[in-house]
């Protein structure tokens, strides 16, 4: 199946316009991932497919496109230094701040992919607040792709995927379900609200977040898209709240009102 220049531009424009993801340098990725999907689903050409996506009022074809084209690679304990920073610096700050208020911890994993990130964050929270069960540690985890969210909600992982976790966490928070797979126990799964959310949209979640994890997702966005997204997140962060980005990412000083704390960690004054 041939991808013409005009079909390529239409796909790039659609994905950039709707989801902020810039695939203009990713022609090989598009053909590599989409060709099989098109053949399996009986499309004769990329043109026929992109017309369907552009016209589909339900948005379902668009969802499938996102499921096929997004890069969802993640793993347990990724960027461990952030979890340490959370445990040592941020959670004591939240405890101090919220002790005499709602005892509500407000954390958002904003590109949560298949769930490894929010589950690991939740394990850190469980350890930290183990002495006082009256804290509400439920957190929000969102992603654009419905496919990864389904996987995240199921909480089912291969033994090799949970291998990086400390043994105590593996024992405490997972149940073996067959020879190869383990499932996160319901008590921990219930402490994460998984929702589909496009980071290009207005943020309508209630209340302000103490911490936002926005890790390894802005790599797909251009500078203006990043600037606007950071601005929306800033508006929804509590004063003194923190933002984590991926350790290989950076933000231009001029692009954000967040204050630089150390590489990949920012704070709202
Ligand atoms: C590489 S994963 C990062 C997962 C995790 N945060 C980590 O650092 O390991 C990037 C995720 O961003 C999601 N994503 C891409 N564009 C998005 C958008 N516009 N809105 C919400 N999520 C998006 C993808 O679906 C993918 O699951």
């Amino acid at each position: 199946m041939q991808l013409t220049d005009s079909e390529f531009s239409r796909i790039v424009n659609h994905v950039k316009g709707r989801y902020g993801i810039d695939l203009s340098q990713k022609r090989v990725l598009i053909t590599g991932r989409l060709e099989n999907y098109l053949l399996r689903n009986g499309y004769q050409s990329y043109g026929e497919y992109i017309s369907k996506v552009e016209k589909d009022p339900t948005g379902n074809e668009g969802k499938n496109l996102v499921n096929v084209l997004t890069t969802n690679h993640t793993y347990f304990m990724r960027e461990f230094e952030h979890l340490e920073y959370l445990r040592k610096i941020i959670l004591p700050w939240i405890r101090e701040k919220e002790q005499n208020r709602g005892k509500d911890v407000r954390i958002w994993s904003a590109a949560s992919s298949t769930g490894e990130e929010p589950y690991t964050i939740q394990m850190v929270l469980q350890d930290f607040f183990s002495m006082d069960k009256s804290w509400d540690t439920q957190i929000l985890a969102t992603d654009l792709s419905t496919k990864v969210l389904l996987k995240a909600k199921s909480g089912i992982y291969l033994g090799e995927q949970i291998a990086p976790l400390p043994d105590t966490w593996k024992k405490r928070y997972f149940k073996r379900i067959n020879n190869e797979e383990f499932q996160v126990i319901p008590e921990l799964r219930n402490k994460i609200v998984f929702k589909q959310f496009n980071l290009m949209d207005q943020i309508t979640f209630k209340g302000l977040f103490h911490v936002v994890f926005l890790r390894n997702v802005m790599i797909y966005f251009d500078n203006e898209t990043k600037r606007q997204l950071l601005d929306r997140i800033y508006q929804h962060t509590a004063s003194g709240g923190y933002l984590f980005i991926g350790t290989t990412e950076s933000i231009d000083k001029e692009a954000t009102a967040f204050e630089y704390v150390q590489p990949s960690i920012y704070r709202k004054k």
Side-chain angles (χ1 to χ4, degrees), residues 15 18-21 66-67 70-75 78-79 109-114 116-118 142-146 148 197-201 213-221 229 246 249:
V15 175
R18 284 280 173 89
Y19 313 114
I21 303 172
V66 160
N67 288 343
T70 50
T71 299
N72 314 112
H73 180 63
T74 183
Y75 45 92
R78 185 175 199 176
E79 296 165 341
S109 164
S112 58
S113 189
T114 39
E116 287 86 336
E117 177 179 286
T142 62
D143 200 280
L144 177 60
S145 160
T146 49
V148 294
F197 180 70
N198 179 357
L199 287 166
M200 297 305 105
D201 291 345
F213 286 79
L214 185 69
R215 304 192 303 174
N216 304 300
V217 58
M218 283 193 295
I219 25 175
Y220 310 113
F221 305 155
L229 171 61
E249 300 173 289

Side-chain angles (χ1 to χ4, degrees), residues 107-110 118 138-142 192-195 205 209:
I107 297 182
W108 178 21
S109 164
Q138 196 172 55
I139 63 173
L140 174 68
T142 62
I192 300 171
V193 177
F194 287 104
K195 279 205 174 124
F205 306 119
F209 293 100

Side-chain angles (χ1 to χ4, degrees), residues 3-41:
L3 176 65
T4 66
D5 288 348
S6 101
E7 288 165 342
F8 175 64
S9 302
R10 281 168 71 195
I11 295 176
V12 169
N13 290 340
H14 180 83
V15 175
K16 176 123 194 288
R18 284 280 173 89
Y19 313 114
I21 303 172
D22 182 2
L23 296 175
S24 55
Q25 308 299 317
K26 305 272 180 184
R27 197 173 178 128
V28 176
L29 180 140
I30 292 181
T31 50
R33 294 198 183 163
L34 217 47
E35 182 165 344
N36 263 336
Y37 176 81
L38 265 51
L39 291 172
R40 265 187 286 130
N41 290 281

Side-chain angles (χ1 to χ4, degrees), residues 79-232:
E79 296 165 341
F80 178 69
E81 56 270 44
H82 290 162
L83 301 173
E84 281 296 279
Y85 195 89
L86 177 68
R87 184 173 69 82
K88 289 190 186 148
I89 311 283
I90 304 181
L91 293 182
W93 167 73
I94 295 178
R95 187 167 54 193
E96 175 85 30
K97 183 175 156 73
E98 300 298 327
Q99 190 99 270
N100 300 318
R101 297 212 251 164
K103 290 195 169 180
D104 189 9
V105 181
R106 298 191 44 86
I107 297 182
W108 178 21
S109 164
S112 58
S113 189
T114 39
E116 287 86 336
E117 177 179 286
Y119 283 126
T120 321
I121 296 169
Q122 191 53 250
M123 292 178 215
V124 174
L125 294 181
Q126 291 307 304
D127 275 4
F128 189 85
F129 291 104
S130 62
M131 299 310 235
D132 184 353
K133 301 281 182 215
S134 62
W135 282 83
D136 179 359
T137 63
Q138 196 172 55
I139 63 173
L140 174 68
T142 62
D143 200 280
L144 177 60
S145 160
T146 49
K147 188 172 162 197
V148 294
L149 283 166
L150 270 182
K151 164 112 179 87
K153 277 184 203 165
S154 80
I156 298 175
Y157 300 95
L158 294 170
E160 67 207 48
Q161 291 177 299
I162 68 167
L165 292 167
D167 285 343
T168 46
W169 283 359
K170 279 189 245 176
K171 284 200 194 102
R172 200 176 299 156
Y173 300 122
F174 290 85
K175 214 179 86 192
R176 180 186 276 282
I177 53 169
N178 57 42
N179 270 347
E180 287 156 8
E181 293 171 312
F182 294 78
Q183 185 169 31
V184 178
I185 56 168
E187 292 81 351
L188 201 82
R189 289 210 304 275
N190 294 340
K191 291 200 172 351
I192 300 171
V193 177
F194 287 104
K195 279 205 174 124
Q196 203 250 352
F197 180 70
N198 179 357
L199 287 166
M200 297 305 105
D201 291 345
Q202 289 305 319
I203 299 170
T204 51
F205 306 119
K206 288 207 189 86
L208 301 176
F209 293 100
H210 294 125
V211 191
V212 178
F213 286 79
L214 185 69
R215 304 192 303 174
N216 304 300
V217 58
M218 283 193 295
I219 25 175
Y220 310 113
F221 305 155
D222 66 22
N223 285 340
E224 183 52 22
T225 307
K226 272 198 223 177
R227 197 189 60 71
Q228 291 179 11
L229 171 61
L230 289 167
D231 190 45
R232 287 191 297 275

